[in-house]
Amino acid sequence: MFNCNATPSVVLTLGKRVGKPDHELVEQAERLALANFQTPPDIPTLCRALAVNERTLRKAFQKIRGLPPCRRLRMLRLSEARWALLSARGRFVTVTEIATSFGFVELGRFSVEYRNLFGESPSETLGRRSVTHRCGRSASHDRVGTAKSGTSEMPSL
């Protein structure tokens, strides 16, 4: 649409934004964030990649996941780190190697957040997995997804 000066005029839509539904936006953001664990993108980078502003992304995460994006994305990385610890089966790996491979550089903070989310330390998970694997227990007996932090239950992945 052009005005009399032959310059484009802006058509504003009031009310609901035009674009992707919130659930699609959240899923795309999660996929982008999980694509490279070693250097997880920050929120402004995600917003640029998704062509949305930070407020839109934050509101979508709050509506769909009940958490701000930075917290949800951190929980996803913690869950992936847990999966790696549980899957170590006889390989010689350390908690430090796994934590850093998922972009956690502050190992003390990683350990505290991990314990709050899963109810055990990362080293306990790594050691327990090797013991339970020998005993024949399945991974279904694990407490993945339970939260002891008092904030909220982790939304399903």
Side-chain angles (χ1 to χ4, degrees):
M1 182 174 213
F2 287 88
N3 63 16
C4 297
N5 304 7
T7 58
S9 64
V10 178
V11 177
L12 297 176
T13 55
L14 300 175
K16 188 161 175 70
R17 70 181 166 82
V18 178
K20 298 176 186 137
D22 289 337
H23 66 89
E24 285 183 29
L25 181 61
V26 168
E27 288 171 6
Q28 281 186 326
E30 289 175 348
R31 279 194 301 272
L32 284 172
L34 295 176
N36 186 1
F37 287 119
Q38 289 80 18
T39 54
D42 58 11
I43 300 304
T45 303
L46 275 177
C47 290
R48 282 190 300 276
L50 296 167
V52 296
N53 63 38
E54 285 188 43
R55 184 170 184 239
T56 300
L57 186 65
R58 289 182 194 286
K59 287 176 87 173
F61 265 90
Q62 195 64 43
K63 178 180 174 185
I64 302 301
R65 301 290 190 223
L67 296 167
C70 56
R71 182 68 185 141
R72 170 62 179 174
L73 298 176
R74 192 164 185 85
M75 290 173 74
L76 287 174
R77 289 189 303 132
L78 283 165
S79 294
E80 292 295 323
R82 180 177 177 80
W83 179 251
L85 289 166
L86 289 168
S87 301
R89 282 194 229 156
R91 293 181 302 151
F92 181 74
V93 297
T94 65
V95 170
T96 299
E97 290 170 332
I98 289 175
T100 56
S101 73
F102 286 94
F104 295 100
V105 292
E106 297 180 44
L107 300 177
R109 180 176 285 177
F110 166 76
S111 183
V112 168
E113 288 184 10
Y114 187 96
R115 181 182 291 279
N116 287 340
L117 189 59
F118 300 113
E120 65 184 7
S121 72
S123 58
E124 289 172 327
T125 301
L126 185 61
R128 183 177 55 79
R129 179 57 182 145
S130 60
V131 170
T132 57
H133 179 65
R134 286 192 297 261
C135 295
R137 280 182 66 194
S138 70
S140 65
H141 295 284
D142 299 322
R143 296 173 47 197
V144 176
T146 60
K148 290 192 141 193
S149 63
T151 53
S152 67
E153 285 290 308
M154 183 173 153
S156 64
L157 302 175

